[in-house]
């Protein structure tokens, strides 16, 4: 059987990038669930009317989504600027001293376990094909053709946070007053167990441990915000 990859098969790097995006999306949804649930449960512990709960929930959703988007945009933009600076430096080095760069590339492959002769051959063939790509991948760990887009990262984070935040916001407004908080707690803990399992599955980690961490952390957050809302509501009543 031929060892060549099928043209339709994704590259390992592309698969890893997609998994990272999926994991980031799950974590964003997780943040949306916990933070918005904490807000609405805290307000529900202090107020009965739906108006204040809805207002606080929507405000928390909007603030959280904007914060996630802004933070992701700044973070990815900084990373992209750093990667571009490193690539620019590499281009200059390849232009100014290509022989030294070829020796460096061969040494990097030799350090990975190839024999000196094989490492030299690989370095020469890759340099003939695309010297910048060869150096960027091995020396810098960067794919020049797949730099992260900060706008895409920001929109993805905002969307995943919003989708997660909608769950507790909808659940707490649907049932009668006496069932609002219990229903929200159950829905949130179930959702957190799912996001914990999914994030662990994407990373190849044990799912049970991740689910337990998510559920305990979310439960503590809800307990704290409920207690604060109850105390503050009783103080201002």
């Amino acid at each position: 059987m031929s060892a060549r990859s099928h043209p339709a098969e994704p590259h390992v790097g592309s698969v890893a990038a997609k998994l990272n995006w999926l994991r980031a999306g799950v974590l964003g949804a997780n943040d949306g669930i916990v933070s918005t649930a904490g807000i609405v449960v805290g307000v529900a512990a202090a107020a009965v009317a739906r108006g204040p709960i809805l207002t606080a929930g929507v405000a928390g959703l909007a603030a959280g989504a904007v914060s996630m988007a802004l933070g992701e945009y700044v973070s990815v933009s900084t990373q992209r600027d750093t990667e571009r600076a490193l690539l620019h430096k590499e281009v200059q080095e390849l232009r100014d001293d290509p022989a030294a760069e070829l020796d460096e590339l061969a040494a990097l492959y030799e350090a990975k376990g190839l024999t000196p002769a094989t490492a030299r051959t690989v370095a020469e063939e890759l340099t003939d094909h695309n010297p910048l790509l060869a150096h960027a991948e091995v020396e810098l760990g960067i794919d020049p053709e797949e730099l992260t887009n900060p706008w895409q990262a920001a929109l993805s984070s905002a969307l995943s946070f919003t989708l997660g935040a909608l769950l507790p916001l909808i659940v707490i407004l649907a049932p009668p007053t006496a069932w609002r908080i219990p229903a929200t707690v159950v829905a949130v803990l179930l959702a957190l167990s799912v996001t914990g399992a999914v994030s662990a599955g994407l990373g190849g980690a044990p799912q049970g441990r991740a689910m337990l961490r998510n559920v305990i952390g979310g439960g503590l957050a809800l307990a704290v915000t409920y207690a604060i809302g109850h105390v503050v509501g009783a103080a201002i009543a």
Side-chain angles (χ1 to χ4, degrees), residues 38-225:
I39 291 173
V40 296
V41 166
V43 176
V48 175
R50 280 187 170 87
I53 300 174
L54 177 61
T55 301
V58 171
L61 184 156
V66 171
S67 176
M68 288 284 291
L70 181 60
E72 196 71 13
Y73 178 82
V74 171
S75 174
V76 174
S77 294
T78 301
Q79 176 186 340
R80 189 182 178 94
D81 291 343
T82 301
E83 290 174 344
R84 283 177 168 172
L86 291 171
L87 291 172
H88 179 69
K89 181 182 178 183
E90 196 64 38
V91 169
Q92 290 181 320
E93 292 175 347
L94 287 167
R95 181 188 60 207
D96 296 340
D97 197 349
E101 289 299 298
L102 180 60
D103 292 339
E104 181 183 30
L105 186 60
L108 289 170
Y109 278 109
E110 189 175 342
K112 288 179 176 290
L114 298 181
T115 64
T118 302
R120 186 76 183 186
T121 300
V122 171
E124 289 175 347
E125 292 184 0
L126 290 176
T127 298
D128 289 340
H129 176 67
N130 189 327
L132 178 60
L133 180 61
H135 280 267
E137 289 184 338
V138 179
E139 184 178 346
L140 305 176
I142 299 173
D143 186 346
E145 299 174 357
E146 293 189 8
L147 297 182
T148 307
N149 186 326
W151 287 106
Q152 183 182 20
L155 291 174
S156 298
S157 294
L159 178 60
S160 62
F161 183 94
T162 300
L163 292 176
L166 285 174
L167 172 69
L169 185 57
I170 292 172
V171 171
I172 202 162
L173 296 173
T177 302
W179 288 97
R180 286 177 184 170
I181 294 176
T184 303
V185 170
V186 171
V188 165
L189 295 184
L190 286 175
L192 290 178
S193 67
V194 172
T195 57
V198 172
S199 62
L202 291 173
Q207 291 184 330
R209 189 180 304 169
M211 292 170 64
L212 185 61
R213 281 198 303 262
N214 251 15
V215 170
I216 292 176
L220 287 174
L222 294 179
V224 170
T225 55

